[in-house]
Short mmCIF file of all heavy atoms in Angstrom, two decimals:
data_model
loop_
_atom_site.label_atom_id
_atom_site.label_comp_id
_atom_site.label_asym_id
_atom_site.label_seq_id
_atom_site.Cartn_x
_atom_site.Cartn_y
_atom_site.Cartn_z
N ALA I 1 -45.23 21.75 23.68
CA ALA I 1 -44.51 23.00 23.66
C ALA I 1 -43.99 23.35 25.06
O ALA I 1 -42.91 23.90 25.19
CB ALA I 1 -45.40 24.11 23.14
N ARG I 2 -44.79 23.03 26.08
CA ARG I 2 -44.33 23.35 27.44
C ARG I 2 -43.13 22.50 27.85
O ARG I 2 -42.25 22.99 28.56
CB ARG I 2 -45.48 23.15 28.44
CG ARG I 2 -46.57 24.18 28.29
CD ARG I 2 -47.25 24.38 29.64
NE ARG I 2 -48.39 25.26 29.46
CZ ARG I 2 -48.35 26.54 29.77
NH1 ARG I 2 -47.24 27.07 30.23
NH2 ARG I 2 -49.41 27.29 29.60
N GLY I 3 -43.07 21.26 27.38
CA GLY I 3 -41.92 20.40 27.69
C GLY I 3 -40.64 20.97 27.11
O GLY I 3 -39.59 20.97 27.76
N ILE I 4 -40.74 21.48 25.90
CA ILE I 4 -39.57 22.09 25.26
C ILE I 4 -39.16 23.35 26.02
O ILE I 4 -37.97 23.60 26.25
CB ILE I 4 -39.87 22.42 23.78
CG1 ILE I 4 -40.08 21.12 23.01
CG2 ILE I 4 -38.75 23.23 23.16
CD1 ILE I 4 -40.59 21.32 21.61
N GLN I 5 -40.16 24.11 26.45
CA GLN I 5 -39.88 25.34 27.18
C GLN I 5 -39.20 25.01 28.52
O GLN I 5 -38.22 25.67 28.90
CB GLN I 5 -41.19 26.09 27.42
CG GLN I 5 -40.99 27.50 27.94
CD GLN I 5 -42.32 28.24 28.07
OE1 GLN I 5 -43.39 27.62 28.07
NE2 GLN I 5 -42.24 29.55 28.18
N ARG I 6 -39.69 23.99 29.22
CA ARG I 6 -39.08 23.61 30.50
C ARG I 6 -37.64 23.13 30.29
O ARG I 6 -36.75 23.46 31.08
CB ARG I 6 -39.89 22.48 31.14
CG ARG I 6 -41.11 22.99 31.83
CD ARG I 6 -41.76 21.87 32.64
NE ARG I 6 -43.18 22.08 32.61
CZ ARG I 6 -44.09 21.17 32.37
NH1 ARG I 6 -43.73 19.92 32.15
NH2 ARG I 6 -45.37 21.46 32.35
N THR I 7 -37.43 22.35 29.25
CA THR I 7 -36.07 21.86 28.96
C THR I 7 -35.14 23.02 28.67
O THR I 7 -33.99 23.06 29.16
CB THR I 7 -36.10 20.90 27.75
OG1 THR I 7 -36.99 19.83 28.04
CG2 THR I 7 -34.73 20.34 27.48
N ALA I 8 -35.59 23.99 27.90
CA ALA I 8 -34.76 25.16 27.58
C ALA I 8 -34.43 25.95 28.84
O ALA I 8 -33.30 26.41 29.02
CB ALA I 8 -35.48 26.04 26.57
N VAL I 9 -35.40 26.11 29.74
CA VAL I 9 -35.16 26.85 30.99
C VAL I 9 -34.17 26.09 31.85
O VAL I 9 -33.25 26.67 32.44
CB VAL I 9 -36.49 27.09 31.73
CG1 VAL I 9 -36.23 27.59 33.15
CG2 VAL I 9 -37.35 28.08 30.97
N ARG I 10 -34.33 24.76 31.93
CA ARG I 10 -33.42 23.95 32.73
C ARG I 10 -31.99 24.05 32.20
O ARG I 10 -31.04 24.18 32.96
CB ARG I 10 -33.86 22.48 32.72
CG ARG I 10 -34.55 22.10 34.01
CD ARG I 10 -34.78 20.60 34.09
NE ARG I 10 -36.13 20.34 33.56
CZ ARG I 10 -36.43 19.40 32.69
NH1 ARG I 10 -35.51 18.59 32.23
NH2 ARG I 10 -37.66 19.24 32.26
N GLN I 11 -31.85 23.99 30.88
CA GLN I 11 -30.51 24.06 30.30
C GLN I 11 -29.89 25.45 30.46
O GLN I 11 -28.69 25.58 30.57
CB GLN I 11 -30.56 23.67 28.83
CG GLN I 11 -30.79 22.18 28.64
CD GLN I 11 -30.88 21.79 27.19
OE1 GLN I 11 -30.91 22.65 26.32
NE2 GLN I 11 -30.95 20.50 26.93
N ALA I 12 -30.70 26.47 30.49
CA ALA I 12 -30.19 27.82 30.65
C ALA I 12 -29.60 28.02 32.04
O ALA I 12 -28.64 28.77 32.22
CB ALA I 12 -31.29 28.85 30.39
N HIS I 13 -30.14 27.34 33.04
CA HIS I 13 -29.66 27.47 34.42
C HIS I 13 -28.61 26.44 34.77
O HIS I 13 -28.03 26.48 35.84
CB HIS I 13 -30.83 27.37 35.40
CG HIS I 13 -31.78 28.51 35.30
ND1 HIS I 13 -31.44 29.79 35.66
CD2 HIS I 13 -33.05 28.59 34.85
CE1 HIS I 13 -32.46 30.60 35.45
NE2 HIS I 13 -33.46 29.89 34.95
N HIS I 14 -28.36 25.53 33.88
CA HIS I 14 -27.41 24.45 34.13
C HIS I 14 -25.99 24.99 33.99
O HIS I 14 -25.66 25.70 33.06
CB HIS I 14 -27.63 23.34 33.09
CG HIS I 14 -26.89 22.09 33.39
ND1 HIS I 14 -25.53 22.03 33.52
CD2 HIS I 14 -27.31 20.82 33.58
CE1 HIS I 14 -25.16 20.81 33.76
NE2 HIS I 14 -26.23 20.04 33.80
N LYS I 15 -25.12 24.65 34.95
CA LYS I 15 -23.73 25.07 34.87
C LYS I 15 -23.02 24.26 33.79
O LYS I 15 -23.29 23.08 33.60
CB LYS I 15 -23.03 24.85 36.21
CG LYS I 15 -23.43 25.81 37.28
CD LYS I 15 -22.60 25.59 38.52
CE LYS I 15 -22.99 26.60 39.59
NZ LYS I 15 -22.21 26.39 40.81
N TYR I 16 -22.10 24.91 33.13
CA TYR I 16 -21.34 24.24 32.07
C TYR I 16 -20.30 23.33 32.70
O TYR I 16 -19.51 23.76 33.53
CB TYR I 16 -20.66 25.27 31.17
CG TYR I 16 -19.79 24.64 30.12
CD1 TYR I 16 -20.36 24.03 29.00
CD2 TYR I 16 -18.42 24.63 30.25
CE1 TYR I 16 -19.57 23.44 28.04
CE2 TYR I 16 -17.62 24.04 29.29
CZ TYR I 16 -18.20 23.44 28.19
OH TYR I 16 -17.42 22.85 27.24
N GLU I 17 -20.33 22.07 32.31
CA GLU I 17 -19.32 21.12 32.77
C GLU I 17 -18.45 20.73 31.58
O GLU I 17 -18.97 20.36 30.53
CB GLU I 17 -19.99 19.87 33.33
CG GLU I 17 -20.82 20.13 34.57
CD GLU I 17 -21.51 18.88 35.07
OE1 GLU I 17 -21.19 17.80 34.56
OE2 GLU I 17 -22.35 19.00 35.95
N PRO I 18 -17.15 20.83 31.73
CA PRO I 18 -16.28 20.46 30.60
C PRO I 18 -16.38 18.97 30.29
O PRO I 18 -16.46 18.14 31.20
CB PRO I 18 -14.88 20.82 31.08
CG PRO I 18 -14.97 20.94 32.55
CD PRO I 18 -16.40 21.28 32.87
N ASN I 19 -16.42 18.65 29.01
CA ASN I 19 -16.47 17.24 28.62
C ASN I 19 -15.06 16.72 28.39
O ASN I 19 -14.06 17.41 28.63
CB ASN I 19 -17.37 17.06 27.38
CG ASN I 19 -16.86 17.81 26.17
OD1 ASN I 19 -15.72 18.24 26.14
ND2 ASN I 19 -17.70 17.98 25.18
N PHE I 20 -14.96 15.50 27.88
CA PHE I 20 -13.67 14.85 27.69
C PHE I 20 -12.77 15.68 26.79
O PHE I 20 -11.58 15.87 27.06
CB PHE I 20 -13.88 13.46 27.10
CG PHE I 20 -12.60 12.72 26.84
CD1 PHE I 20 -11.97 12.02 27.85
CD2 PHE I 20 -12.02 12.73 25.58
CE1 PHE I 20 -10.79 11.34 27.61
CE2 PHE I 20 -10.85 12.05 25.34
CZ PHE I 20 -10.23 11.36 26.35
N HIS I 21 -13.32 16.19 25.68
CA HIS I 21 -12.51 16.95 24.73
C HIS I 21 -12.03 18.27 25.31
O HIS I 21 -10.94 18.72 25.01
CB HIS I 21 -13.30 17.19 23.45
CG HIS I 21 -13.66 15.93 22.74
ND1 HIS I 21 -12.74 15.17 22.07
CD2 HIS I 21 -14.84 15.26 22.63
CE1 HIS I 21 -13.34 14.10 21.57
NE2 HIS I 21 -14.61 14.13 21.89
N ASP I 22 -12.86 18.88 26.13
CA ASP I 22 -12.43 20.12 26.77
C ASP I 22 -11.28 19.86 27.74
O ASP I 22 -10.35 20.65 27.86
CB ASP I 22 -13.59 20.75 27.54
CG ASP I 22 -14.68 21.24 26.62
OD1 ASP I 22 -14.37 21.58 25.46
OD2 ASP I 22 -15.85 21.27 27.05
N LYS I 23 -11.35 18.73 28.45
CA LYS I 23 -10.32 18.42 29.44
C LYS I 23 -9.02 17.95 28.80
O LYS I 23 -7.93 18.35 29.21
CB LYS I 23 -10.81 17.33 30.39
CG LYS I 23 -11.88 17.77 31.35
CD LYS I 23 -12.26 16.62 32.26
CE LYS I 23 -13.33 17.00 33.23
NZ LYS I 23 -13.73 15.87 34.08
N TYR I 24 -9.13 17.04 27.83
CA TYR I 24 -7.94 16.33 27.34
C TYR I 24 -7.64 16.54 25.86
O TYR I 24 -6.67 15.98 25.36
CB TYR I 24 -8.10 14.83 27.59
CG TYR I 24 -8.41 14.51 29.02
CD1 TYR I 24 -9.67 14.05 29.39
CD2 TYR I 24 -7.46 14.67 30.02
CE1 TYR I 24 -9.98 13.74 30.70
CE2 TYR I 24 -7.74 14.38 31.34
CZ TYR I 24 -9.01 13.91 31.67
OH TYR I 24 -9.29 13.62 32.97
N GLY I 25 -8.43 17.32 25.17
CA GLY I 25 -8.27 17.47 23.72
C GLY I 25 -6.90 17.97 23.30
O GLY I 25 -6.26 17.40 22.43
N ASN I 26 -6.43 19.04 23.93
CA ASN I 26 -5.12 19.60 23.57
C ASN I 26 -3.99 18.65 23.93
O ASN I 26 -3.00 18.54 23.19
CB ASN I 26 -4.91 20.95 24.24
CG ASN I 26 -5.78 22.02 23.62
OD1 ASN I 26 -6.22 21.89 22.49
ND2 ASN I 26 -6.06 23.05 24.39
N MET I 27 -4.12 17.96 25.06
CA MET I 27 -3.08 17.01 25.48
C MET I 27 -2.97 15.87 24.47
O MET I 27 -1.87 15.45 24.13
CB MET I 27 -3.40 16.46 26.87
CG MET I 27 -3.39 17.51 27.95
SD MET I 27 -1.75 17.92 28.49
CE MET I 27 -1.35 16.46 29.39
N ILE I 28 -4.10 15.36 24.02
CA ILE I 28 -4.09 14.27 23.05
C ILE I 28 -3.51 14.75 21.72
O ILE I 28 -2.73 14.04 21.07
CB ILE I 28 -5.51 13.69 22.88
CG1 ILE I 28 -5.92 12.97 24.16
CG2 ILE I 28 -5.59 12.76 21.68
CD1 ILE I 28 -7.34 12.51 24.19
N LEU I 29 -3.87 15.95 21.31
CA LEU I 29 -3.35 16.51 20.06
C LEU I 29 -1.83 16.67 20.13
O LEU I 29 -1.10 16.27 19.21
CB LEU I 29 -4.01 17.85 19.78
CG LEU I 29 -3.63 18.53 18.48
CD1 LEU I 29 -4.16 17.72 17.30
CD2 LEU I 29 -4.20 19.93 18.44
N ILE I 30 -1.33 17.21 21.22
CA ILE I 30 0.11 17.40 21.39
C ILE I 30 0.82 16.05 21.47
O ILE I 30 1.88 15.85 20.86
CB ILE I 30 0.40 18.27 22.63
CG1 ILE I 30 -0.09 19.70 22.37
CG2 ILE I 30 1.87 18.26 22.99
CD1 ILE I 30 -0.11 20.57 23.60
N GLY I 31 0.23 15.12 22.21
CA GLY I 31 0.82 13.78 22.32
C GLY I 31 0.90 13.10 20.98
O GLY I 31 1.92 12.46 20.65
N GLY I 32 -0.15 13.21 20.18
CA GLY I 32 -0.13 12.62 18.84
C GLY I 32 0.92 13.25 17.96
O GLY I 32 1.61 12.56 17.20
N ALA I 33 1.07 14.56 18.06
CA ALA I 33 2.08 15.24 17.26
C ALA I 33 3.49 14.80 17.67
O ALA I 33 4.37 14.62 16.81
CB ALA I 33 1.93 16.76 17.41
N VAL I 34 3.71 14.60 18.95
CA VAL I 34 5.02 14.15 19.44
C VAL I 34 5.32 12.75 18.94
O VAL I 34 6.42 12.47 18.45
CB VAL I 34 5.08 14.22 20.98
CG1 VAL I 34 6.30 13.49 21.52
CG2 VAL I 34 5.07 15.66 21.45
N VAL I 35 4.34 11.85 19.03
CA VAL I 35 4.54 10.48 18.57
C VAL I 35 4.78 10.47 17.06
O VAL I 35 5.68 9.77 16.57
CB VAL I 35 3.35 9.59 18.95
CG1 VAL I 35 3.42 8.24 18.27
CG2 VAL I 35 3.28 9.42 20.45
N PHE I 36 4.00 11.23 16.32
CA PHE I 36 4.15 11.31 14.87
C PHE I 36 5.56 11.77 14.50
O PHE I 36 6.23 11.17 13.66
CB PHE I 36 3.10 12.28 14.31
CG PHE I 36 3.20 12.50 12.82
CD1 PHE I 36 2.56 11.66 11.94
CD2 PHE I 36 3.93 13.57 12.32
CE1 PHE I 36 2.65 11.86 10.58
CE2 PHE I 36 4.01 13.79 10.96
CZ PHE I 36 3.38 12.93 10.09
N THR I 37 6.01 12.82 15.16
CA THR I 37 7.34 13.36 14.89
C THR I 37 8.44 12.37 15.26
O THR I 37 9.41 12.20 14.51
CB THR I 37 7.54 14.68 15.66
OG1 THR I 37 6.49 15.58 15.30
CG2 THR I 37 8.88 15.32 15.35
N ALA I 38 8.27 11.70 16.39
CA ALA I 38 9.28 10.74 16.83
C ALA I 38 9.37 9.56 15.88
O ALA I 38 10.47 9.13 15.50
CB ALA I 38 8.95 10.25 18.24
N VAL I 39 8.24 9.02 15.46
CA VAL I 39 8.24 7.86 14.56
C VAL I 39 8.85 8.23 13.22
O VAL I 39 9.72 7.52 12.70
CB VAL I 39 6.81 7.30 14.40
CG1 VAL I 39 6.74 6.30 13.26
CG2 VAL I 39 6.34 6.66 15.69
N TRP I 40 8.42 9.34 12.64
CA TRP I 40 8.97 9.73 11.34
C TRP I 40 10.43 10.14 11.46
O TRP I 40 11.22 9.90 10.54
CB TRP I 40 8.14 10.82 10.69
CG TRP I 40 6.98 10.23 9.97
CD1 TRP I 40 5.67 10.27 10.34
CD2 TRP I 40 7.02 9.47 8.76
NE1 TRP I 40 4.90 9.58 9.44
CE2 TRP I 40 5.70 9.09 8.46
CE3 TRP I 40 8.03 9.08 7.91
CZ2 TRP I 40 5.39 8.32 7.33
CZ3 TRP I 40 7.73 8.31 6.79
CH2 TRP I 40 6.42 7.95 6.52
N GLY I 41 10.81 10.74 12.55
CA GLY I 41 12.22 11.07 12.75
C GLY I 41 13.07 9.82 12.79
O GLY I 41 14.14 9.76 12.19
N TYR I 42 12.59 8.80 13.48
CA TYR I 42 13.31 7.52 13.53
C TYR I 42 13.38 6.88 12.14
O TYR I 42 14.44 6.43 11.70
CB TYR I 42 12.61 6.57 14.51
CG TYR I 42 13.27 5.22 14.57
CD1 TYR I 42 14.41 5.02 15.34
CD2 TYR I 42 12.76 4.15 13.85
CE1 TYR I 42 15.03 3.78 15.39
CE2 TYR I 42 13.38 2.91 13.89
CZ TYR I 42 14.50 2.73 14.66
OH TYR I 42 15.11 1.51 14.71
N VAL I 43 12.25 6.86 11.44
CA VAL I 43 12.21 6.24 10.12
C VAL I 43 13.15 6.96 9.16
O VAL I 43 13.90 6.31 8.41
CB VAL I 43 10.76 6.23 9.55
CG1 VAL I 43 10.74 5.88 8.08
CG2 VAL I 43 9.89 5.27 10.35
N LEU I 44 13.12 8.25 9.15
CA LEU I 44 13.94 9.01 8.20
C LEU I 44 15.43 8.96 8.52
O LEU I 44 16.25 9.10 7.62
CB LEU I 44 13.47 10.46 8.14
CG LEU I 44 12.05 10.65 7.58
CD1 LEU I 44 11.66 12.12 7.65
CD2 LEU I 44 11.94 10.14 6.16
N THR I 45 15.79 8.75 9.78
CA THR I 45 17.21 8.71 10.12
C THR I 45 17.77 7.30 10.12
O THR I 45 18.96 7.11 9.93
CB THR I 45 17.47 9.34 11.51
OG1 THR I 45 16.67 8.65 12.49
CG2 THR I 45 17.13 10.81 11.50
N ARG I 46 16.93 6.29 10.31
CA ARG I 46 17.42 4.91 10.43
C ARG I 46 17.12 4.04 9.21
O ARG I 46 17.60 2.92 9.15
CB ARG I 46 16.80 4.23 11.65
CG ARG I 46 17.07 4.94 12.94
CD ARG I 46 18.52 4.80 13.31
NE ARG I 46 18.74 5.49 14.57
CZ ARG I 46 19.89 5.55 15.17
NH1 ARG I 46 20.94 4.99 14.65
NH2 ARG I 46 20.01 6.20 16.30
N ALA I 47 16.34 4.51 8.28
CA ALA I 47 15.91 3.67 7.17
C ALA I 47 16.99 3.47 6.14
O ALA I 47 16.86 2.62 5.26
CB ALA I 47 14.66 4.29 6.52
N GLY I 48 18.06 4.22 6.17
CA GLY I 48 19.14 4.08 5.20
C GLY I 48 18.77 4.64 3.84
O GLY I 48 19.31 4.20 2.83
N VAL I 49 17.90 5.60 3.80
CA VAL I 49 17.51 6.22 2.55
C VAL I 49 18.60 7.20 2.15
O VAL I 49 19.06 7.99 2.96
CB VAL I 49 16.16 6.96 2.70
CG1 VAL I 49 15.80 7.67 1.41
CG2 VAL I 49 15.08 5.99 3.10
N GLU I 50 19.00 7.14 0.88
CA GLU I 50 19.97 8.10 0.38
C GLU I 50 19.22 9.32 -0.10
O GLU I 50 18.33 9.22 -0.94
CB GLU I 50 20.78 7.49 -0.76
CG GLU I 50 21.68 6.36 -0.31
CD GLU I 50 22.49 5.79 -1.45
OE1 GLU I 50 22.56 6.44 -2.51
OE2 GLU I 50 23.03 4.70 -1.27
N TRP I 51 19.55 10.47 0.45
CA TRP I 51 18.75 11.67 0.19
C TRP I 51 19.29 12.51 -0.95
O TRP I 51 18.81 13.60 -1.19
CB TRP I 51 18.66 12.51 1.46
CG TRP I 51 17.86 11.80 2.49
CD1 TRP I 51 18.33 11.19 3.60
CD2 TRP I 51 16.45 11.59 2.47
NE1 TRP I 51 17.30 10.61 4.28
CE2 TRP I 51 16.13 10.84 3.62
CE3 TRP I 51 15.42 11.95 1.60
CZ2 TRP I 51 14.83 10.46 3.92
CZ3 TRP I 51 14.13 11.56 1.90
CH2 TRP I 51 13.84 10.83 3.04
N GLY I 52 20.30 12.02 -1.69
CA GLY I 52 20.76 12.77 -2.85
C GLY I 52 19.67 12.77 -3.91
O GLY I 52 19.23 11.72 -4.34
N LEU I 53 19.25 13.93 -4.34
CA LEU I 53 18.13 14.00 -5.27
C LEU I 53 18.57 13.90 -6.73
O LEU I 53 17.75 13.66 -7.60
CB LEU I 53 17.36 15.31 -5.06
CG LEU I 53 16.74 15.47 -3.68
CD1 LEU I 53 16.05 16.82 -3.57
CD2 LEU I 53 15.74 14.37 -3.40
N SER I 54 19.85 14.07 -7.00
CA SER I 54 20.33 14.02 -8.37
C SER I 54 20.61 12.58 -8.77
O SER I 54 21.33 11.86 -8.07
CB SER I 54 21.61 14.85 -8.51
OG SER I 54 22.13 14.67 -9.81
N PRO I 55 20.07 12.12 -9.89
CA PRO I 55 20.33 10.75 -10.33
C PRO I 55 21.64 10.58 -11.08
O PRO I 55 21.98 9.49 -11.50
CB PRO I 55 19.14 10.46 -11.25
CG PRO I 55 18.78 11.78 -11.82
CD PRO I 55 19.06 12.77 -10.72
N VAL I 56 22.40 11.65 -11.28
CA VAL I 56 23.64 11.59 -12.05
C VAL I 56 24.62 10.67 -11.33
O VAL I 56 24.92 10.83 -10.16
CB VAL I 56 24.25 13.00 -12.22
CG1 VAL I 56 25.60 12.92 -12.92
CG2 VAL I 56 23.29 13.90 -12.97
N GLY I 57 25.12 9.69 -12.08
CA GLY I 57 26.09 8.76 -11.52
C GLY I 57 25.44 7.56 -10.85
O GLY I 57 26.12 6.58 -10.57
N ARG I 58 24.18 7.60 -10.57
CA ARG I 58 23.51 6.47 -9.92
C ARG I 58 22.64 5.69 -10.90
O ARG I 58 22.37 4.53 -10.69
CB ARG I 58 22.66 6.95 -8.76
CG ARG I 58 23.52 7.32 -7.56
CD ARG I 58 22.68 7.62 -6.38
NE ARG I 58 22.05 8.93 -6.60
CZ ARG I 58 20.95 9.33 -6.00
NH1 ARG I 58 20.34 8.56 -5.16
NH2 ARG I 58 20.45 10.53 -6.25
N VAL I 59 22.17 6.36 -11.93
CA VAL I 59 21.33 5.70 -12.91
C VAL I 59 22.22 5.21 -14.03
O VAL I 59 22.88 5.99 -14.71
CB VAL I 59 20.25 6.67 -13.46
CG1 VAL I 59 19.42 5.99 -14.53
CG2 VAL I 59 19.38 7.17 -12.34
N THR I 60 22.25 3.90 -14.21
CA THR I 60 23.06 3.33 -15.28
C THR I 60 22.15 2.56 -16.22
O THR I 60 21.18 1.93 -15.78
CB THR I 60 24.12 2.37 -14.70
OG1 THR I 60 23.46 1.37 -13.94
CG2 THR I 60 25.11 3.11 -13.84
N PRO I 61 22.44 2.62 -17.50
CA PRO I 61 21.59 1.91 -18.46
C PRO I 61 21.74 0.39 -18.30
O PRO I 61 22.82 -0.11 -18.00
CB PRO I 61 22.09 2.39 -19.81
CG PRO I 61 23.45 2.90 -19.58
CD PRO I 61 23.50 3.37 -18.15
N LYS I 62 20.63 -0.32 -18.49
CA LYS I 62 20.67 -1.78 -18.41
C LYS I 62 21.10 -2.34 -19.75
O LYS I 62 20.95 -1.73 -20.80
CB LYS I 62 19.28 -2.31 -18.05
CG LYS I 62 18.85 -1.98 -16.65
CD LYS I 62 17.52 -2.64 -16.34
CE LYS I 62 17.13 -2.34 -14.91
NZ LYS I 62 15.84 -2.94 -14.57
N GLU I 63 21.63 -3.53 -19.69
CA GLU I 63 22.07 -4.20 -20.90
C GLU I 63 20.86 -4.54 -21.76
O GLU I 63 19.82 -4.98 -21.24
CB GLU I 63 22.81 -5.47 -20.51
CG GLU I 63 23.59 -6.08 -21.65
CD GLU I 63 24.41 -7.26 -21.16
OE1 GLU I 63 25.11 -7.08 -20.13
OE2 GLU I 63 24.34 -8.31 -21.80
N TRP I 64 20.97 -4.33 -23.07
CA TRP I 64 19.86 -4.56 -23.98
C TRP I 64 19.69 -6.07 -24.22
O TRP I 64 20.62 -6.77 -24.50
CB TRP I 64 20.12 -3.84 -25.31
CG TRP I 64 19.00 -4.00 -26.28
CD1 TRP I 64 18.93 -4.89 -27.29
CD2 TRP I 64 17.79 -3.26 -26.31
NE1 TRP I 64 17.75 -4.76 -27.96
CE2 TRP I 64 17.02 -3.77 -27.37
CE3 TRP I 64 17.26 -2.22 -25.53
CZ2 TRP I 64 15.76 -3.25 -27.71
CZ3 TRP I 64 16.02 -1.72 -25.86
CH2 TRP I 64 15.28 -2.24 -26.92
N LYS I 65 18.44 -6.52 -24.04
CA LYS I 65 18.15 -7.94 -24.29
C LYS I 65 17.22 -8.05 -25.48
O LYS I 65 16.23 -7.34 -25.56
CB LYS I 65 17.49 -8.56 -23.06
CG LYS I 65 18.40 -8.61 -21.87
CD LYS I 65 17.71 -9.25 -20.71
CE LYS I 65 18.61 -9.25 -19.48
NZ LYS I 65 17.94 -9.83 -18.33
N GLU I 66 17.56 -8.98 -26.41
CA GLU I 66 16.68 -9.16 -27.57
C GLU I 66 15.87 -10.42 -27.42
O GLU I 66 16.23 -11.37 -26.85
CB GLU I 66 17.51 -9.21 -28.84
CG GLU I 66 18.06 -7.86 -29.17
CD GLU I 66 18.73 -7.88 -30.53
OE1 GLU I 66 18.34 -8.66 -31.39
OE2 GLU I 66 19.65 -7.08 -30.71
#
């Protein structure tokens, strides 16, 4: 019990030091969001996808095979 008490007292007097996430967490999050946006922006603009949502005029019936 005394060991736990000493540890608690030591931690109470210990200064808070920022860890990796405190230092760089927001930067990594923002960087990831930028990369995500850039990659998807490239894919959506360069992939040659036709964005017309109406199938009218594009869907044609196939020839019937027996």
Side-chain angles (χ1 to χ4, degrees):
R2 291 208 186 260
I4 294 171
Q5 191 176 16
R6 281 189 214 133
T7 303
V9 168
R10 257 189 267 133
Q11 288 178 353
H13 293 293
H14 190 301
K15 287 185 178 179
Y16 176 75
E17 296 178 9
N19 61 16
F20 179 83
H21 297 288
D22 293 332
K23 289 181 181 178
Y24 306 109
N26 288 337
M27 296 281 288
I28 291 173
L29 183 67
I30 292 169
V34 168
V35 170
F36 177 86
T37 304
V39 168
W40 276 107
Y42 178 81
V43 168
L44 295 176
T45 57
R46 302 290 180 179
V49 177
E50 293 181 15
W51 292 106
L53 298 178
S54 174
V56 175
R58 285 187 286 158
V59 177
T60 56
K62 291 185 178 179
E63 194 174 311
W64 182 262
K65 294 181 183 178
E66 289 188 29

